[in-house]
Amino acid sequence: QGKLEKLNRIYRYINKDKDIIDWYNSNIDKTINIQWPKGRDGTKFGFDGCVCISPGDILVVAGVSNMGKTTFAQNFLWENMDSYPCVLMGNEYTPVKFKRRISRMTWNNPLDENGKPKFELIKRLENWSDIIEPDKITIIDWIALPANELYNIGHVIQGIQSKVGNGVALIVLQKDEASSLGRGRAFSEELSSLYLTIDKGRMTVRKAKEWFQHDPNREVYGFDITNGGVEFRNIRPLVKCFSCHGSGQIKGNECYSCHGTGYIEKVKPKEPELDF
């Protein structure tokens, strides 16, 4: 009857259902006004205000252990919890440690006018997509898979994306120091609309799929983290070191210009002097 197809010894049902995408009636101006983490001294990351985030997007932050991933995730929550329903899922949060940490984030109040939390805090170690609620901002800090299942990260992210509806998900991943991508490598990047990597004191825009006026792809920003790990400060643009070309080494020794980091601060061009 043409309803089955044989693949080796296995049969599968032929699915002729079509999921039609109604692009004609969509509103191209429908974006999500995400507020990004900022330095408490007024400095900003360079992608702030220029990255276009649409309903259903996946944002990924992949970082080296203890280098600022949680700081970014919690600051992301703090910036958006007054505008959108937010959920924070964690695998390392405990009530006392979390409350102690956010008590230092005094630039916003985590409680509403009724004295209730503005967001849900959930402990989750696996099957994250099972409890994703549509149309919310969901922050997952962080997804850990066994070493022999890292290739499944793409399927995990796909499952999360299928549930977010008109919301977005910010997914935090671990990254090895020598790698330019999070664990799971290219599989972790494929479905992301924004992919950021964090190394020691440095954030790189690995991928920004849509932007407005300014293309931030491959831009690098330096930052400091203060106040017990909850505040960003001194956010500034970086460029590859001119002496070592980003390697951090010169003839086997630490580069004297960048002190082994491979990056130096971007120097602003001098304003021309006016001769009156």
Side-chain angles (χ1 to χ4, degrees), residues 5-206:
E5 179 186 42
K6 187 177 182 180
L7 301 173
N8 297 322
R9 297 183 178 182
I10 298 174
Y11 288 88
R12 75 169 186 90
Y13 282 102
I14 298 174
N15 183 1
K16 294 185 178 181
D17 294 338
K18 298 177 182 178
D19 189 2
I20 303 296
I21 299 175
D22 183 14
W23 61 271
Y24 182 75
N25 292 309
S26 63
N27 181 1
I28 63 173
D29 296 323
K30 188 176 182 181
T31 59
I32 297 181
N33 186 26
I34 292 294
Q35 299 299 308
W36 301 100
K38 301 174 176 63
R40 304 327 305 169
D41 54 358
T43 54
K44 295 182 179 181
F45 291 104
F47 56 83
D48 193 334
C50 65
V51 175
C52 178
I53 303 300
S54 300
D57 276 355
I58 296 292
L59 321 175
V60 176
V61 178
V64 176
S65 179
N66 203 34
M67 291 299 170
K69 301 187 303 300
T70 292
T71 305
F72 189 91
Q74 292 179 352
N75 274 253
F76 186 87
L77 171 65
W78 242 234
E79 295 294 335
N80 292 283
M81 63 186 176
D82 289 332
S83 302
Y84 302 99
C86 292
V87 177
L88 175 60
M89 298 185 194
N91 61 9
E92 293 182 335
Y93 293 141
T94 61
V96 173
K97 288 184 178 180
F98 183 79
K99 189 172 183 178
R100 182 186 300 129
R101 184 178 175 91
I102 67 170
S103 68
R104 298 192 294 272
M105 300 172 68
T106 55
W107 59 92
N108 200 352
N109 187 350
L111 304 181
D112 62 20
E113 62 274 10
N114 298 316
K116 301 296 184 181
K118 295 176 181 176
F119 57 90
E120 283 187 292
L121 180 65
I122 300 172
K123 184 175 182 179
R124 193 71 172 183
L125 304 178
E126 59 185 358
N127 299 323
W128 299 268
S129 64
D130 290 354
I131 60 170
I132 297 287
E133 295 183 52
D135 309 334
K136 292 186 176 183
I137 290 181
T138 301
I139 304 164
I140 304 176
D141 179 25
W142 45 284
I143 288 181
L145 295 177
N148 62 341
E149 295 182 14
L150 292 178
Y151 63 90
N152 278 328
I153 188 62
H155 296 293
V156 172
I157 293 175
Q158 186 177 40
I160 292 168
Q161 187 176 41
S162 70
K163 297 291 186 66
V164 297
N166 288 319
V168 298
L170 175 73
I171 297 171
V172 178
L173 302 174
Q174 289 279 20
K175 185 180 85 70
D176 298 323
E177 283 191 48
S179 177
S180 60
L181 287 166
R183 291 177 183 169
R185 300 187 63 79
F187 298 114
S188 71
E189 184 185 29
E190 290 173 343
L191 294 175
S192 65
S193 294
L194 178 68
Y195 196 104
L196 306 173
T197 60
I198 296 179
D199 295 274
K200 185 177 181 180
R202 185 174 78 246
M203 177 181 288
T204 302
V205 181
R206 167 81 187 189

Side-chain angles (χ1 to χ4, degrees), residues 201-258:
R202 185 174 78 246
M203 177 181 288
T204 302
V205 181
R206 167 81 187 189
K207 172 186 175 183
K209 200 166 186 177
E210 285 190 271
W211 63 90
F212 296 110
Q213 303 296 327
H214 171 69
D215 180 2
N217 278 288
R218 304 297 175 177
E219 288 188 344
V220 183
Y221 317 106
F223 60 84
D224 299 327
I225 294 178
T226 61
N227 193 10
V230 302
E231 291 185 13
F232 286 108
R233 287 186 177 271
N234 191 27
I235 301 171
R236 69 270 183 200
L238 301 179
V239 294
K240 281 189 177 181
C241 177
F242 300 116
S243 300
C244 66
H245 305 290
S247 69
Q249 299 282 318
I250 296 180
K251 296 181 179 180
N253 298 314
E254 182 180 285
C255 175
Y256 56 87
S257 298
C258 65

